Amino acid sequence: MDHTDAPAPVGEAAASNSRAVRKERTRRALLDAALGLLAEQSLSGLGLREVTRAAGIAPTAFYRHFRDIPDLGAALVDEALGSLHQVVRALLAAGASAEDRIADAVALIATHVRAYPAHVRFIARERHGGVRAVREATDRELRGFSYEVATGLAAQPESRGWTVRDVQMLAELYVDLLLLTATSLLETEPGSEAERAVLTGARRKLRVVALGRRHWQDEGA
């Protein structure tokens, strides 16, 4: 009788699940410890033993999850920016007016910053920092982000007749503005006058972009 496809014994399956849970818990502890330490320093100055000590694990356990500190930093980039893709795609696909999309996009960024300030601060600091793997991971994630935004913009009536290059340029402009807004919000308190000023400024800038979009003509530049 062939037992190749037979299910694992209950005890064995439970043990496997338990190991997977412990592994994920340790990985999470390392990421959280690194984020906490990065509130006061840059990734290039972060030591492996410093991270494992803060996480409460042995240094050797680090290598079961990450190759090195830059690899951990790249994982933080994926975590920090990856969660925005699906939400922004849904916003772009919605049949709302341009003004509603602007308001929704700014509100989304504000909500994200308040929910994940450490992640946003990490991206703001390390986007042009000294760790190559993190710079490349950030650029890769932001390119993917802008491609998704471009896909949504291309489907909108305002983009009729636009070249692929110009739609991509517009998407990158939107992404840069939203990233700048997120960085500016880090320096404000929720509900403060400073926060309201940042959000108002972001909406005004996006309106200017939307106005220019309606009148854009490619001159072959």
Side-chain angles (χ1 to χ4, degrees), residues 63-137:
Y63 297 105
R64 298 179 193 140
H65 305 274
F66 305 104
R67 293 188 301 275
D68 47 29
I69 290 294
D71 188 41
L72 180 150
L76 284 174
V77 170
D78 291 343
E79 188 171 84
L81 293 175
S83 60
L84 283 176
H85 286 274
Q86 187 172 355
V87 179
V88 172
R89 194 183 309 131
L91 277 175
L92 287 165
S97 67
E99 184 63 30
D100 287 339
R101 287 195 295 266
I102 287 172
D104 288 345
V106 172
L108 166 70
I109 292 301
T111 299
H112 190 77
V113 171
R114 297 315 178 197
Y116 307 103
H119 287 88
V120 176
R121 186 172 288 107
F122 169 73
I123 293 295
R125 176 182 290 167
E126 301 295 337
R127 182 183 181 187
H128 304 295
V131 180
R132 180 178 178 180
V134 171
R135 293 198 310 272
E136 291 177 347

Side-chain angles (χ1 to χ4, degrees), residues 5-85:
D5 297 322
V10 173
E12 183 179 328
S16 178
N17 288 338
S18 179
R19 284 193 297 271
V21 168
R22 287 198 301 272
K23 183 175 181 180
E24 180 55 33
R25 188 181 298 130
T26 301
R27 185 178 189 274
R28 180 73 262 156
L30 288 167
L31 290 169
D32 289 343
L35 271 178
L37 293 167
L38 289 168
E40 303 296 335
Q41 60 181 299
S42 66
L43 188 70
S44 59
L46 193 64
L48 185 152
R49 288 184 177 276
E50 189 179 7
V51 174
T52 54
R53 183 164 53 249
I57 66 171
T60 53
F62 180 93
Y63 297 105
R64 298 179 193 140
H65 305 274
F66 305 104
R67 293 188 301 275
D68 47 29
I69 290 294
D71 188 41
L72 180 150
L76 284 174
V77 170
D78 291 343
E79 188 171 84
L81 293 175
S83 60
L84 283 176
H85 286 274

